[in-house]
Amino acid sequence: MVLAAVGSTAAVDVTSCSELQQVNNDLGADYELRNDIDCSSYPFDMIGESQAFTGRIDGNGYSIQDLDLSGENSLALFWRIGSGGEVGNITFENFDVYVQDGSYGTSSAKNGENGQNAAGLALTNNGLVENVGFDTMSKIRAGNGGNGFSTSGGSGGTGGQGGLAAGVVIDNQNSLVRVQFNGTVRSGDGGSGGNGVDGGSGSQAGMAAGIARSNNGFMANTTFSGSVRSGKSGDGGDGYTETGANGGQGADGRSAAGIVYQNAGTILRTSVVDATVKAGRAGHGGDGADDPSGRDDDKDAGYAGNAGDGRHASGIAFVNNNVIRKSRVSETTIRGGNGGNGGDGGNTDDGDQDIGSGRAEEGGQGGDAAGVVFTNRLDITDTYSNATVRGGNGGDGGHGGDISDDGADLSNDNRGGDGGDGGDATGFSARNMNNGEIDRSYTVSELNSGSGGAGGYGGSTLSCTYCGADDGDSGSSGQLHGFVSNSEATEQYSYWLESTASTSDGSAAPTTSSELQEESTFQPEWDFENVWGFGKCVGADIGGTYPVLRGIMSAAECRPDMYNPDPADGGVVGKSPDISVNVRAPASDSVDVDFLLNWSAYSDEEYDLVVDGENRKVQGLGLYDNVTVINGGVLRVGNSNYENSTLYTNHLNIDSSSYIQIWDQGEGSQIQMCGEDRSECDILIGKDHNTDVSSGEATASFNWGGVACMRTYPWYAIADDGAKVSVSDVWSFETLCSDASDPSAYNPEPSDGATNVALDPEVNATYRDPNGDIGEMEFYTGSAGLIGSCNNLVTGEECGVEYSSASDNLASYDWYVRVRSGESDWIRVPETGEWSFRTKPYGDVSNLEFEGYRLDFENGRQEYVVPRGQEQTIVFETKNRKEQRDITLTITEGGSFSSFVDGTDSQTFTLGNETRTSLINVAPDFTGSRTLELEARNNELNTVKKMSTTITSKETVQRPGSANEVPGISIVNLAVLAAASLAYMML
């Protein structure tokens, strides 16, 4: 702050709260704080009372702490900062202004008193306020209006109005520069009407604004990051039990704004960030009076009072009558006020008269909300909103009154009140009126309409169940408007996110998210050299993927920024890559960076691991949707060379003959179970904490030795500077099975773990050499040795050979390759182990045509489910044919066991020309998976066709763990067993 130079008279030192109070003794002098001021135990009075402060106070960067102001009249630290007065370079901590409530009405003065106003620094500013801040603990609370007097001898009193509240000043007539309010602002509630022969009306709450009620001067670099809310308006009073007594009117709500309620001056580089702006609810209507029991005076009961309508909320200004430029609303919630509930109609007991009871009233309308201003009448330029905007909910309708008379005929008066409609939500301005113009602005605000209120119940007669009046209708939800809801002016070079709403009035353009991230969308009218920019922290501003304003806030608001990932997005790395990202954190000298694997971003391809009667290893990091270990299989997680190995999976299936061995469990290797959506498997894979960014930027990195070869790994980073946390984009890289500098092979086909592979398949892989050298590739099997090779390969070229020994159905086969370039040594890929695949079942699983018959497994299924030991019926149905053929069907379960009821391994049937149904009961008595094979044989020609399906058993087995065999983990059979139904139908 550059305050006016001190004249010949030296400035007065202020070192205590009592010396600060003594400013009252000379309101034209110059003062300077020499230390932080503690006012926690000092009964402070407003400076000036009814006189302006025309001197100068320089806080020298010190704070005034725990100052409390309390009283019946309007309050602020200064009554008025007069022309020539200057206040600056001060922070207020735990600053509390509390205005007492207005008095309730009395028998002699029925109406409640109005609440008085409250502000932080001054009720009026005619001077210069610069570099002044209020912390998050500061609270500004205006007085509530008093309730009206209640009486049985006349009408109830009217409630008093609530006081208005503003965070810094009520009215700004001159300059507010670099002012910030982070605390709470709450205007006073409106007083409720008193009960009476007719209930009194409630009164409105006070308006509320984060910085000022009105601006007729200049506001620049002003920020609101707190919570501002207008109070709730007063309810109408109830009618006393007196014929014809009606409920009182509930008051409309009052609006709230993040910066200023009404702007008639200039607002420049102003921000509403991390804030809440909310309008309080409207008043409820009072209830109509009951007609007293036993009266027979041909009179109705009282009507209900009307509900008040909710009022509105906006990010920067409620009304703009002049200029707003280079301003923003970000990460802020803006909500319109809820409508009041309609009053209930009075009940009546009217002897034999057919008289209607009291009428219910409809609920009030929900208030609207807008991202920047509610009503614009002049100029808004270079401004944006990225807020959450929600309309207020409509109030509920009142209940129609009841009639206890047996002969009563309910009139339309007894109908329940309709619910009020919900408020609208608009991305930028609810109304752009008269000479209003909005230029070079945009909104990406999230929009939510207010809900409609519920309709009230209709009145009823106590003796007639079906004689009730109609219930009221529910209110409609509010509408969503992308940029402006009502435009009578112009919007130039302005945009709104089309996914937030289906419509917008005016000429702002609906735009996609991706278009709003491209500078070309905004050119040439937008200035991206001096005003706008892209990035996480452009100048000193919160950034993101959309344009942000340069240089309007301090670096403390910036989030850490991460960029330039290495490996680059989509890159290819070797078996032990270094992972890094550049980071900067303008608000701090150091930052903690965590690196995570984003498993949920994996492709739709499922990664399964099946260990069937063999030994397999997981070394480093293994990620699989399903892990199955059966038939005596052993899966080892880690070894002496990979002590910190982790197996991540969604499903773990282990039969009783198999186990998983974990190396150094608890200290090193482990199994981590993930949720169905993999949400729990965004895995911390590395970290670099206390990274020094004092020079402006640095590189955070770690070495990831746990990658598997031939995989794609999506990853991201989280940076924490101690105040704010940011999350990077998601990047990915592919891994090789060798060092990145060596020739290698990738994209094996069939892929590792593939199933249903054709017999005698071609196996192939793609050659890669980082130097672009010509190379060769050899193909090997685990048992047959070399099966083929390719020469003169260039990077990216595929090579394939026939795996002619893979000739059995439902069999597993392994293979690997060796590559080299020039005269270099051969490199085995993968480095350890082999790729594997499993061949397809016999024939077509869904159906088999043979000698004019069609044989189907039920619904073409490949797996069937029954618990172990439960009998399952297999149905054979044949129909008469013109020509009899000697065909034998043999059903066999593979494996050395018996599971048919008669103890045999197979069952045989001969199909002739008769029609019959044959049944076989299957009682499975095994664990794990087995194959159910169907063989159809023509006994005359000795021709055969086969098809198969799978049965697996479901049985939970708790197996004791040993020191190295999954201690503390339940080993369960998750595979499922069922016998199959076979339907035999002639074609």
Side-chain angles (χ1 to χ4, degrees), residues 210-399:
I211 301 296
R213 188 263 307 267
S214 66
N215 174 46
N216 294 290
F218 179 72
M219 299 173 67
N221 291 97
T222 300
T223 301
F224 180 73
S225 293
S227 172
V228 58
R229 179 176 179 177
S230 57
K232 62 181 177 65
S233 291
D235 301 335
D238 296 337
Y240 269 128
T241 301
E242 191 71 36
T243 300
N246 301 322
Q249 166 79 48
D252 291 340
R254 287 295 291 267
S255 298
I259 296 294
V260 61
Y261 189 79
Q262 182 166 318
N263 176 50
T266 297
I267 295 177
L268 178 65
R269 296 191 300 274
T270 292
S271 300
V272 179
V273 181
D274 286 325
T276 300
V277 181
K278 186 174 182 180
R281 74 155 173 84
H284 301 318
D287 295 340
D290 295 341
D291 184 26
S293 176
R295 295 174 64 103
D296 195 5
D297 52 5
D298 199 24
K299 296 289 186 180
D300 289 349
Y303 289 169
N306 295 326
D309 292 334
R311 283 296 180 255
H312 316 302
S314 50
I316 291 179
F318 181 66
V319 177
N320 175 48
N321 291 318
N322 202 359
V323 174
I324 298 175
R325 292 179 180 167
K326 298 178 183 177
S327 297
R328 65 185 177 140
V329 182
S330 181
E331 302 184 36
T332 290
T333 299
I334 303 165
R335 181 162 183 172
N338 294 338
N341 296 336
D344 296 340
N347 303 319
T348 187
D349 178 2
D350 203 57
D352 58 359
Q353 300 298 316
D354 295 336
I355 300 299
S357 62
R359 181 182 65 205
E361 287 294 343
E362 64 184 20
Q365 307 297 303
D368 300 333
V372 177
V373 300
F374 193 80
T375 300
N376 177 53
R377 293 195 175 101
L378 201 58
D379 179 23
I380 302 175
T381 306
D382 292 321
T383 295
Y384 73 90
S385 175
N386 184 7
T388 299
V389 182
R390 183 185 181 102
N393 296 331
D396 295 339
H399 297 167

Side-chain angles (χ1 to χ4, degrees), residues 409 428 462 488 661:
D409 181 14
F428 199 92
L462 301 185
E488 298 178 1
Q661 184 183 62

Side-chain angles (χ1 to χ4, degrees), residues 620-675:
L621 185 66
L623 301 101
Y624 300 95
D625 281 337
N626 303 284
V627 174
T628 302
V629 188
I630 56 176
N631 299 328
V634 178
L635 177 62
R636 291 180 170 85
V637 181
N639 58 31
S640 58
N641 294 322
Y642 291 89
E643 295 181 358
N644 295 315
S645 298
T646 304
L647 170 64
Y648 291 88
T649 184
N650 294 336
H651 302 99
L652 183 59
N653 311 320
I654 313 172
D655 71 14
S656 60
S657 66
S658 308
Y659 66 92
I660 295 179
Q661 184 183 62
I662 301 177
W663 183 271
D664 194 20
Q665 183 183 357
E667 299 295 329
S669 301
Q670 60 178 320
I671 296 176
Q672 174 68 49
M673 301 301 296
C674 308

